[in-house]
Amino acid sequence: MAAGPGDPNSGPATGARFFCTAGRGLEPFLMREVRVRLQAAQVEYVSGKVFFTTCSDLNMLKKLKSAERLFLLIKKQFPFNVSSVNKGKIYNEMQRLINDDPESWLNAISIWKNLLEFDAKKKRLSQRDANLLKRKMGENDTIITKKLKAEQMQKTQENRECQLEKQIEEETLAQGDFLTNREKFQLEERQNGAVEAAGTPSQNDLTFRVSCRCSGAVAKTFSAQEVGRIIGIALMKQFGWKADLRDPNVEIFIHLNDIYSVVGIPVFRAPLASRAYIRTAGLRSTIAWAMASVAEIKAGALVLDPMCGLGTILLEAAKEWPDAYYVGADVSDSQLCGARDNLKAAGLEDKIALLKVSVVELPLPSESVDVIISDIPFGKKFKLGKDIKSILREMERVLHAGGVVVLLLSEAHRRSLTEGEGGGSPLDSEGSHADEPGAGKRLIPEEKTGTSETASPSLEADHQGCLPKMPPFGSLVPVECYKVSLGKTDAFIYKYKKSYSSAL
């Protein structure tokens, strides 16, 4: 992973407790990422969520790539028992989320405010540094002007008095400009301080709204609106906060299901999975990043996506591992056009080369590629012109011994490779699953419900016993597998290593 951990002194002093939502099946990637990128401790997970403690600031938290959304944790507890009690008792139980431990709510709000204030301070300091640099450049310009005038006076003997008056006049004007810039700088400082103060209201002045999600037995008894109303009334009574559904200071997120009850504060309004640098979405960005993260991309490596579609995988890889060389190929003009638009929006036109070629006729020498990462079309939106085995044979040819292949395979692709069946439906265009939102399905075996499982030290070891049996394909040996979901259908992230020279 390219990005290093955050400065432990830059965020909450003793560490704050967070949780991220993730596509089911992506929890192992997110657990690994928060440990490496954020130096997180106490990393745990339940299906679709990863909990952790970190001292990182907002700038580092914002860099998480395998998470959907990030929340500051207020409470996590066992689920409500709705099977044998009346609604009135459940109402009281829900209100106790606030009333039994108001201190945890106030502490969470305090941490949330500190995170925002620290981030605002960093932005203000950055702006101040820019202003200081601008002022210093102005001072240098003034000095240069003086030197030029002095040299001009030495060289020119005629009209000395006239030149001297002109020099004095210009120096006075420059000094006036300098004082004006200084006054502007001081004014900006005062304005930034006022904005920061206005952006962090006191505890009693907070406005809020409640976002609720219910599933399982709870959803059959209560609607999300009912739960939101119960929690909202309790917050107003306990803390004196005011409800504001349109533009609140803080949002309270509650998820109730049959396994746990979780309450948190969204740290960012926009989901982390919504990449600002991707203009047209293809494969879900979190899955694309997850695939790249296990591909062992090193500096100077040649990375190929022979069915690149809109280029999402290459974009995620190039953003995280910029010191490699990237090539994308596709036979579809429309897909390549969309990929070029994405590269331009991300500022990576010079970093990723695009080719219009067939995946089974790659214009590359044998054993010339270090890493291949590709989303193999499932045959729903895009049809596959060649069977999966022909595609893998060409990938095997161009990959050097010791190289890595990471593929996103459908159940049909996996079955074909496992059972030796002939390839898929007729296909002529490569692409990704633009119409299928990212969600997930966990590959780690289910433990007892109602508890969170602490992640084991070796995530790969967790998966080896769960690997659907996949035989080697020639010199390509499967070493890792993760079952994920693309919303309406499941998929498999398979990692292969080339064990020997194929001599094709």
Side-chain angles (χ1 to χ4, degrees):
M1 200 174 298
D7 181 359
N9 297 321
S10 62
T14 58
R17 192 75 173 152
F18 297 89
F19 71 93
C20 287
T21 54
R24 294 184 303 265
L26 292 182
E27 300 95 339
F29 298 92
L30 182 52
M31 288 188 288
R32 181 161 47 201
E33 186 183 7
V34 297
R35 284 198 181 101
V36 174
R37 200 188 295 276
L38 306 180
Q39 289 187 319
Q42 298 175 290
V43 182
E44 301 175 329
Y45 82 101
V46 295
S47 180
K49 291 182 177 63
V50 171
F51 301 83
F52 58 93
T53 300
T54 183
C55 297
S56 298
D57 63 13
L58 290 187
N59 186 48
M60 288 304 302
L61 292 167
K62 197 179 296 182
K63 293 180 180 180
L64 290 174
K65 297 293 186 179
S66 53
E68 292 290 330
R69 294 197 71 187
L70 173 68
F71 300 84
L72 180 64
L73 181 65
I74 298 176
K75 275 184 173 294
K76 178 173 68 118
Q77 64 181 45
F78 289 108
F80 293 111
N81 181 11
V82 298
S83 59
S84 59
V85 294
N86 60 45
K87 274 194 169 185
K89 290 185 178 180
I90 297 298
Y91 284 157
N92 292 333
E93 288 293 318
M94 289 181 181
Q95 290 175 339
R96 289 178 61 183
L97 284 171
I98 297 98
N99 300 334
D100 279 6
D101 188 15
E103 192 65 27
S104 64
W105 287 80
L106 296 178
N107 287 340
I109 292 295
S110 178
I111 293 172
W112 169 74
K113 288 175 61 180
N114 288 340
L115 283 169
L116 296 184
E117 288 173 355
F118 182 80
D119 190 57
K121 182 179 179 181
K122 285 183 66 177
K123 290 179 179 178
R124 194 179 77 247
L125 290 174
S126 177
Q127 183 61 43
R128 188 185 69 181
D129 290 342
N131 290 336
L132 287 172
L133 178 60
K134 185 176 180 180
R135 187 177 69 178
K136 187 173 182 180
M137 290 175 65
E139 291 174 349
N140 290 337
D141 290 342
T142 303
I143 293 172
I144 292 172
T145 301
K146 290 179 179 180
K147 288 183 178 179
L148 289 174
K149 293 298 179 182
E151 292 175 0
Q152 187 178 6
M153 287 175 62
Q154 292 175 2
K155 292 179 181 180
T156 307
Q157 299 298 326
E158 299 178 358
N159 301 324
R160 177 175 297 179
E161 294 181 358
C162 181
Q163 290 179 8
L164 182 59
E165 291 176 1
K166 185 178 179 181
Q167 180 188 0
I168 294 172
E169 181 181 357
E170 289 181 357
E171 288 181 352
T172 302
L173 288 173
Q175 185 178 12
D177 290 340
F178 172 75
L179 293 173
T180 301
N181 289 335
R182 183 176 181 181
E183 291 169 358
K184 288 180 180 179
F185 172 72
Q186 292 174 343
L187 179 60
E188 288 174 359
E189 286 288 284
R190 290 196 296 271
Q191 289 175 341
N192 287 332
V195 169
E196 183 182 12
T200 54
S202 65
Q203 297 276 17
N204 295 331
D205 295 332
L206 274 178
T207 60
F208 75 98
R209 72 174 171 217
V210 178
S211 299
C212 184
R213 179 183 170 193
C214 298
S215 56
V218 177
K220 297 177 181 179
T221 308
F222 298 96
S223 67
Q225 290 77 11
E226 284 181 290
V227 175
R229 186 167 57 253
I230 294 166
I231 298 299
I233 291 172
L235 289 172
M236 287 188 286
K237 288 183 177 179
Q238 181 69 44
F239 304 116
W241 300 347
K242 296 179 181 179
D244 184 347
L245 301 182
R246 292 190 175 184
D247 189 25
N249 299 131
V250 64
E251 181 179 355
I252 305 299
F253 171 81
I254 299 176
H255 186 191
L256 306 179
N257 61 23
D258 297 337
I259 303 175
Y260 52 77
S261 300
V262 174
V263 184
I265 300 172
V267 178
F268 305 109
R269 291 198 173 187
L272 292 171
S274 298
R275 310 287 203 248
Y277 50 81
I278 295 181
R279 177 174 296 175
T280 305
L283 177 68
R284 187 71 173 168
S285 59
T286 51
I287 293 179
W289 184 90
M291 293 174 68
S293 73
V294 296
E296 303 178 23
I297 300 173
K298 296 179 175 62
L302 177 58
V303 181
L304 169 69
D305 183 351
M307 308 176 81
C308 68
L310 295 173
T312 308
I313 293 174
L314 294 173
L315 282 169
E316 291 295 320
K319 283 286 186 180
E320 187 77 27
W321 296 273
D323 296 327
Y325 301 97
Y326 296 93
V327 176
D330 207 290
V331 296
S332 168
D333 288 325
S334 63
Q335 292 290 292
L336 288 172
C337 182
R340 290 189 186 96
D341 288 343
N342 279 336
L343 297 188
K344 185 176 181 180
L348 294 173
E349 306 104 305
D350 299 331
K351 196 71 179 176
I352 302 172
L354 296 177
L355 306 173
K356 184 182 178 182
V357 295
S358 169
V359 66
V360 294
E361 297 176 348
L362 297 172
L364 297 171
S366 297
E367 302 195 358
S368 60
V369 176
D370 300 290
V371 175
I372 297 175
I373 317 173
S374 196
D375 166 19
I376 307 298
F378 287 12
K380 293 182 178 180
K381 185 173 181 180
F382 297 97
K383 299 296 181 182
L384 206 61
K386 299 291 182 180
D387 67 78
I388 184 67
K389 293 185 178 180
S390 298
I391 293 171
L392 258 66
R393 274 193 288 270
E394 182 69 351
M395 291 182 179
E396 181 186 19
R397 180 187 71 81
V398 300
L399 189 72
H400 72 67
V404 172
V405 178
V406 179
L407 303 176
L408 186 66
L409 302 176
S410 68
E411 175 61 32
H413 293 149
R414 188 191 68 82
R415 188 166 55 249
S416 175
L417 292 172
T418 302
E419 299 173 358
E421 297 175 355
S425 43
L427 278 138
D428 54 35
S429 178
E430 290 77 42
S432 45
H433 316 285
D435 57 340
E436 297 170 358
K441 187 132 185 163
R442 179 169 61 183
L443 187 61
I444 297 176
E446 295 285 348
E447 302 289 344
K448 296 179 180 179
T449 59
T451 60
S452 64
E453 301 89 352
T454 301
S456 63
S458 173
L459 293 170
E460 289 78 12
D462 284 341
H463 288 267
Q464 294 306 317
C466 305
L467 275 169
K469 297 299 181 182
M470 181 78 85
F473 185 88
S475 61
L476 301 179
V477 179
V479 292
E480 291 180 42
C481 173
Y482 302 85
K483 187 176 182 181
V484 296
S485 170
L486 303 177
K488 297 178 181 178
T489 184
D490 290 339
F492 297 87
I493 297 175
Y494 264 94
K495 175 181 176 180
Y496 293 84
K497 275 200 171 184
K498 187 170 180 178
S499 58
Y500 58 87
S501 176
S502 54
L504 290 176

